[in-house]
Amino acid sequence: MTTPAAPQLDAVLAEIDRGLEASLERLKALLRIKSISTDPAYAEECRRAAEWLAQDLAAEGFQASVRPTPGHPVVVAHDTGAPGAHVLFYGHYDVQPVDPIDLWNTDPFEPQLVTLSDGSRQLVCRGASDDKGQLMTFIEACRAWRAVTGRLPVGVSILLEGEEESGGKNLPPFIAANAEELKADIALVCDTDMWDRQTPSITTMLRGLVGEEVTITCADKDLHSGMFGNAARNPNQVLADIVASLRDADGRVTIDGFYDDVAELPDTVKAQWKGLGFDEKAFLAGAGLSIPAGEKDRSVLEQLWSRPTCEINGMWGGYTGEGFKTVIPAKASAKISFRLVSGMQPDRIRKAFRDHVRARLPADCSVEFKEHGGSPALTVPADGPLLNKALAALSGEWPKPAVITGSGGSIPVGGDFKRLLGLDTLFIGFAHNDDRIHSPNEKYDLTSFHKGIRSWARVLAAFAG
Amino acid sequence: MTTPAAPQLDAVLAEIDRGLEASLERLKALLRIKSISTDPAYAEECRRAAEWLAQDLAAEGFQASVRPTPGHPVVVAHDTGAPGAHVLFYGHYDVQPVDPIDLWNTDPFEPQLVTLSDGSRQLVCRGASDDKGQLMTFIEACRAWRAVTGRLPVGVSILLEGEEESGGKNLPPFIAANAEELKADIALVCDTDMWDRQTPSITTMLRGLVGEEVTITCADKDLHSGMFGNAARNPNQVLADIVASLRDADGRVTIDGFYDDVAELPDTVKAQWKGLGFDEKAFLAGAGLSIPAGEKDRSVLEQLWSRPTCEINGMWGGYTGEGFKTVIPAKASAKISFRLVSGMQPDRIRKAFRDHVRARLPADCSVEFKEHGGSPALTVPADGPLLNKALAALSGEWPKPAVITGSGGSIPVGGDFKRLLGLDTLFIGFAHNDDRIHSPNEKYDLTSFHKGIRSWARVLAAFAG
């Protein structure tokens, strides 16, 4: 494919190759900032990450600023000098907590380059893949364009948030309040996986998310299990009974109306996904498992991309330290998340879940719920000129042609862009599903980083055409 | 009742009243030692408590020593000069952990005297009731006898251990290895409750205990619930399913053979317990509850004293910190205890529980078990000359006559004394069931302490008769 920017693209790609070590050093500097958004103890580190990014973008030539929100700040940068297409790029600088800390082989916030037995080089650090490594691929591509041509080939706005990992509710109001400033022709999000190590992908189907925390209280204080056992209600038992009731023997979620708005997958999509040749056994083996869980009559890919989930992300009550304590605790809690597919309404699922819990609560116990975010699923139209240009650009960089895929994850901002700015989003990412995001020893393939930068350079060139 | 020691008893009781403040100061000094046995971080504090007691006993006139075990040390003291009866007194100097620490009104290891609205004075501190306050009642009674008469009215040996709260296995081998030294006519244990604030009791029926820790592993690392949810087995869900399966809808424990060796309560005992006028509503209300849990066709008292239990003392898996983390953890764990009644064999119950768990484990998950102690229930013959003398002595001290009761708790040492020394045990204690043992703000009534000391002075006098 030839575009007006094409003659310069080769020089830009060469500049990316030449400057890779410097690009990597900048990423490492960002990774060393402990921007864990969910834990208030790290608020100052989140601010430092935002300031680092704004400074880096300004040094590169963007008009960049750190913008306050009621939570962690947002970084906004613009360079809209180029005529024609205008893209809004989104990434997040916040990262997941690092526990269980003892399972990390090295300091979670000191980036380490590790060479695997297959010869690939991996950058190991919290946030390497999710999302600092990914967002820097775009920033580095812009830097290379400027270094070679003195300008960007298209108009670019950048929006980097700090609450993606903490179900923060501050981004949608920020987008709404700054809608005029953030308008563009299309949004680009770099927070997704490649299909495999040879095949880039654009994700057009993302699940939504409802996060809930439930705390069950029985007695008004901790009790001695010898003095009160049997006769006093044990909230650990009550919680376990309720959690156990959430799925039936066939793995279906039993919450009333849970699947009411879930459409069966169209036969055409089913056929396309079948054509991807997804290896269920290999996928599960990558996690040390061999038998699929969940709904027993659904394929793994269908369950990951187009079926809603109900997962217990955390559960705790009573004595959990060393040794033993014969206590009946007063309280027990769980953090439970639901991934939603197209058509499901977050508020309706949240209410149905709460009704399910209340209906199973013994009469003299009480329950408290805490909301941890909610967003609907997102489906992007699977054609359109910019999507097709991006597919072609990605296909030019990688060994195999780019494919269109679904994703089990949730990236609420895509829905926000549609609703608040009227923008469709292209989800283009270079991570891999063995990157251990949210887990100890998170990593990002240096090939993802290098060819990711080159990919964005190509996409910007394609959009200029 | 008149005994040879009776003429001196009044003087001893007067000495106890006169010296109460000094007795209280000694108890406070012992309470300040943070002898949490279950947490290895406090091993040195356990040693300090043992040394403090040995010094105090030696200062009083006992031949006292701190004796090593593979775990926390044991204190042994003797004064066997008196002719006639010889008692072996048992107590434990170790205490429970203090979490949840934020529910304590004051420092858990700085004793506070608090006057309640009913005018009673309470000593608030971890270990105040369980068992430092109780064991000091006996030591102070001996001190008063010596102060007045220069000797003890009966032979006394004292055995104080430091692993009662940690399911420690080191005491039975210690008793076996020192059986000759520890022989006596009867064992006395001060680690139980009064029937009510007016009525002392001797407990003749104590449940046994089996402690188990179970850890379920599914994936070989933590997973992202968006990428793996539904398809990857969630150990929180597996654990909840298993815990939920432990009791049926009627509150009966479903473990195979669990009730096989549980005898129905004899009608005579049932009638006696009915005569105690136990107020179920008031008992539950004391814990902020109103509806009995457990087996639905059994009275609360029956469930507490003569039915086995299955309680989840702790349960944890996944992310339990602030905020939210969409993780599917690799592991989930629970600490589960079973109180056993007469006839149940700890090893058999442990095996039946493990079989129950393994039978419900999905094929590609694994389970690990950790043993936290095991002891059978104990039934003491409900008559005998020393029991009757003790009942009469206690009745002389308190407003209402002493009664014989069961107890829901477990004091394995009674079984050890029977098995290893051939000794019956009289469980005589002055605690109350609202003492918040094992809970924040544990307390001991100053009346329990004061009249407890006087009670032991009377019991020793009675045994000399």
Side-chain angles (χ1 to χ4, degrees):
Chain A
M1 176 184 274
T2 306
T3 70
Q8 299 168 313
L9 178 58
D10 285 346
V12 172
L13 296 175
E15 167 65 16
I16 289 168
D17 298 348
R18 193 199 59 73
L20 184 63
E21 284 307 308
S23 298
L24 193 57
E25 286 310 310
R26 283 187 288 270
L27 172 56
K28 286 183 184 174
L30 177 60
L31 286 170
R32 289 191 184 100
I33 304 173
K34 302 172 184 175
S35 47
I36 300 169
S37 58
T38 203
D39 186 339
Y42 292 87
E44 192 46 43
E45 294 280 302
C46 289
R47 164 159 296 280
R48 277 184 60 214
E51 283 167 357
W52 187 95
L53 282 161
Q55 276 179 355
D56 188 59
L57 287 163
E60 191 184 303
F62 282 95
Q63 280 190 298
S65 55
V66 174
R67 310 277 282 272
T69 77
H72 302 304
V74 165
V75 177
V76 179
H78 300 288
D79 181 346
T80 55
H86 179 189
V87 304
L88 171 64
F89 177 83
Y90 163 93
H92 63 91
Y93 64 77
D94 63 320
V95 301
Q96 283 276 320
V98 297
D99 65 282
I101 185 73
D102 52 321
L103 294 186
W104 285 82
N105 298 327
T106 51
D107 181 341
F109 287 105
E110 184 49 50
Q112 304 281 338
L113 267 180
V114 174
T115 302
L116 300 189
S117 56
D118 64 3
S120 69
R121 292 170 72 211
Q122 309 283 340
L123 188 63
V124 177
C125 192
R126 171 57 85 227
S129 173
D130 182 19
D131 182 44
K132 290 171 175 172
Q134 300 241 60
L135 73 86
M136 287 302 285
T137 58
F138 187 85
I139 292 175
E140 294 297 334
C142 293
R143 195 185 323 267
W145 265 104
R146 274 215 198 72
V148 171
T149 70
R151 63 173 195 89
L152 298 180
V154 295
V156 172
S157 294
I158 293 179
L159 175 70
L160 306 173
E161 73 153 320
E163 301 187 345
E164 202 271 348
E165 303 291 6
S166 55
K169 295 182 188 166
N170 294 310
L171 190 66
F174 182 87
I175 293 171
N178 298 278
E180 200 53 44
E181 179 184 351
L182 295 172
K183 278 220 163 127
D185 298 314
I186 194 143
L188 302 173
V189 172
C190 190
D191 199 15
T192 48
D193 289 354
M194 293 178 59
W195 171 246
D196 60 29
R197 298 192 121 74
Q198 277 79 45
T199 316
S201 94
I202 298 181
T203 304
T204 61
M205 207 184 251
L206 280 153
R207 291 188 296 190
L209 182 69
V210 165
E212 282 279 278
E213 183 168 330
V214 51
T215 298
I216 288 161
T217 303
C218 296
D220 58 9
K221 55 181 156 299
D222 286 1
L223 304 172
H224 184 301
S225 71
M227 300 301 142
F228 284 90
N230 275 344
R233 192 73 60 177
N234 186 327
N236 279 330
Q237 184 76 55
V238 173
L239 181 66
D241 290 350
I242 288 173
V243 167
S245 79
L246 288 170
R247 291 205 187 239
D248 66 17
D250 293 335
R252 269 178 76 87
V253 176
T254 58
I255 293 169
D256 198 33
F258 190 72
Y259 295 102
D260 278 3
D261 298 320
V262 178
E264 282 300 319
L265 204 59
D267 287 343
T268 50
V269 179
K270 232 179 218 166
Q272 192 215 327
W273 286 2
K274 209 160 199 173
L276 290 170
F278 180 75
D279 184 342
E280 295 196 350
K281 272 200 176 355
F283 174 79
L284 289 172
L289 295 167
S290 60
I291 303 166
E295 294 175 271
K296 73 171 181 183
D297 51 347
R298 307 276 177 182
S299 78
V300 167
L301 207 56
E302 194 180 353
Q303 288 209 75
L304 294 179
W305 286 358
S306 68
R307 299 293 294 176
T309 71
C310 165
E311 294 294 343
I312 318 305
N313 305 111
M315 189 165 75
W316 69 101
Y319 185 68
T320 61
E322 277 293 304
F324 211 85
K325 183 171 170 178
T326 50
V327 66
I328 297 179
K331 291 171 191 292
S333 300
K335 294 182 199 266
I336 301 177
S337 65
F338 303 92
R339 301 279 169 174
L340 310 187
V341 299
S342 193
M344 297 175 84
Q345 296 164 37
D347 291 348
R348 190 169 161 184
I349 294 301
R350 192 186 306 283
K351 181 180 179 307
F353 166 70
R354 292 181 177 187
D355 289 348
H356 182 100
V357 173
R358 288 198 188 96
R360 282 154 185 83
L361 197 70
D364 61 351
C365 302
S366 64
V367 62
E368 276 176 283
F369 296 97
K370 193 169 168 185
E371 181 177 332
H372 287 286
S375 66
L378 182 69
T379 304
V380 178
D383 53 40
L386 290 177
L387 172 65
N388 289 331
K389 284 181 180 181
L391 284 169
L394 292 170
S395 300
E397 175 63 25
W398 296 86
K400 293 191 182 171
V403 295
I404 290 176
T405 58
S407 166
S410 306
I411 305 181
V413 74
D416 299 333
F417 288 152
K418 186 73 186 176
R419 186 165 44 88
L420 301 170
L421 303 177
L423 286 188
D424 280 330
T425 299
L426 300 184
F427 295 90
I428 301 174
F430 309 101
H432 296 296
N433 70 11
D434 64 355
D435 275 352
R436 299 192 286 253
I437 70 170
H438 296 205
S439 295
N441 307 307
E442 178 178 348
K443 63 190 175 62
Y444 197 45
D445 196 317
L446 273 203
T447 301
S448 293
F449 186 58
H450 183 190
K451 290 175 82 68
I453 301 172
R454 290 172 55 102
S455 295
W456 285 120
R458 289 177 186 271
V459 168
L460 295 181
F463 284 1
Chain B
M1 176 187 274
T2 305
T3 71
Q8 299 169 313
L9 179 59
D10 285 344
V12 172
L13 296 175
E15 168 65 16
I16 289 167
D17 298 349
R18 192 199 60 72
L20 184 62
E21 283 307 308
S23 298
L24 193 56
E25 287 309 310
R26 282 186 288 271
L27 171 55
K28 286 183 184 176
L30 177 59
L31 286 170
R32 289 191 184 101
I33 304 173
K34 302 171 183 177
S35 47
I36 300 169
S37 58
T38 203
D39 186 339
Y42 292 88
E44 192 47 41
E45 293 282 299
C46 289
R47 165 159 294 279
R48 276 185 60 216
E51 282 167 358
W52 187 97
L53 282 161
Q55 276 179 354
D56 188 61
L57 287 163
E60 190 184 301
F62 282 96
Q63 279 191 297
S65 55
V66 173
R67 310 276 281 272
T69 78
H72 302 303
V74 165
V75 178
V76 179
H78 301 287
D79 180 346
T80 55
H86 178 188
V87 304
L88 171 64
F89 177 84
Y90 163 93
H92 65 90
Y93 64 77
D94 64 321
V95 300
Q96 283 275 319
V98 297
D99 66 282
I101 184 75
D102 53 319
L103 295 184
W104 284 82
N105 298 326
T106 52
D107 181 341
F109 288 105
E110 183 50 52
Q112 305 282 338
L113 266 179
V114 174
T115 303
L116 300 188
S117 57
D118 64 3
S120 70
R121 293 170 71 211
Q122 309 284 339
L123 188 63
V124 177
C125 193
R126 170 57 85 226
S129 173
D130 182 19
D131 181 47
K132 290 171 176 172
Q134 299 241 61
L135 74 85
M136 287 302 287
T137 58
F138 187 85
I139 292 174
E140 294 297 334
C142 292
R143 197 186 322 268
W145 265 105
R146 274 215 197 72
V148 171
T149 71
R151 61 171 196 89
L152 298 181
V154 296
V156 172
S157 293
I158 293 179
L159 175 70
L160 305 173
E161 72 152 320
E163 301 187 345
E164 201 271 346
E165 303 291 6
S166 55
K169 294 182 186 167
N170 294 310
L171 190 66
F174 182 88
I175 294 172
N178 297 278
E180 199 53 42
E181 179 184 352
L182 295 171
K183 279 219 162 128
D185 299 314
I186 194 145
L188 301 173
V189 172
C190 190
D191 198 15
T192 48
D193 290 353
M194 293 178 58
W195 171 246
D196 61 28
R197 297 193 120 74
Q198 278 78 47
T199 316
S201 93
I202 298 181
T203 304
T204 62
M205 207 184 253
L206 280 153
R207 290 189 295 189
L209 181 70
V210 166
E212 281 279 278
E213 184 169 330
V214 52
T215 297
I216 288 162
T217 302
C218 295
D220 58 10
K221 55 181 155 302
D222 286 3
L223 304 173
H224 184 303
S225 72
M227 299 302 140
F228 285 90
N230 273 345
R233 192 74 61 180
N234 187 326
N236 280 330
Q237 184 76 55
V238 173
L239 181 66
D241 290 351
I242 289 173
V243 167
S245 78
L246 289 169
R247 290 204 188 240
D248 66 17
D250 292 336
R252 269 178 76 87
V253 177
T254 57
I255 293 169
D256 197 35
F258 191 73
Y259 295 102
D260 279 3
D261 299 319
V262 179
E264 282 300 319
L265 206 58
D267 287 342
T268 50
V269 178
K270 233 178 216 167
Q272 193 215 327
W273 287 1
K274 207 160 201 173
L276 289 170
F278 179 75
D279 184 341
E280 294 196 351
K281 270 198 177 358
F283 173 78
L284 289 173
L289 295 167
S290 60
I291 302 167
E295 294 175 273
K296 73 172 182 182
D297 52 346
R298 308 276 176 180
S299 77
V300 167
L301 207 56
E302 193 180 354
Q303 287 210 75
L304 294 179
W305 287 357
S306 68
R307 298 295 292 177
T309 71
C310 166
E311 293 295 344
I312 319 304
N313 304 111
M315 188 165 74
W316 69 100
Y319 186 68
T320 61
E322 277 293 305
F324 210 84
K325 183 171 169 177
T326 50
V327 66
I328 297 179
K331 292 171 190 291
S333 300
K335 294 181 200 266
I336 302 177
S337 65
F338 303 91
R339 301 279 169 175
L340 310 187
V341 300
S342 191
M344 296 173 85
Q345 295 164 37
D347 291 347
R348 190 169 160 183
I349 295 300
R350 192 186 307 282
K351 181 180 179 308
F353 166 69
R354 294 182 176 186
D355 289 347
H356 182 99
V357 173
R358 287 198 189 96
R360 281 153 186 84
L361 197 69
D364 59 351
C365 301
S366 64
V367 61
E368 277 175 283
F369 297 98
K370 193 169 167 183
E371 180 176 334
H372 286 286
S375 66
L378 182 70
T379 303
V380 178
D383 54 38
L386 290 176
L387 172 65
N388 290 330
K389 284 181 179 180
L391 283 168
L394 293 170
S395 301
E397 175 63 25
W398 295 86
K400 294 190 182 171
V403 295
I404 289 175
T405 58
S407 167
S410 306
I411 306 181
V413 74
D416 300 332
F417 288 152
K418 186 72 186 178
R419 187 165 43 88
L420 301 169
L421 303 176
L423 286 187
D424 280 330
T425 300
L426 300 184
F427 295 91
I428 300 174
F430 310 100
H432 295 297
N433 70 11
D434 65 355
D435 274 352
R436 299 192 285 254
I437 70 169
H438 296 205
S439 294
N441 306 308
E442 178 178 347
K443 64 189 176 60
Y444 197 46
D445 196 318
L446 273 201
T447 302
S448 292
F449 187 60
H450 183 189
K451 291 176 81 70
I453 301 171
R454 290 171 54 101
S455 294
W456 284 121
R458 290 177 186 270
V459 169
L460 295 181
F463 285 179

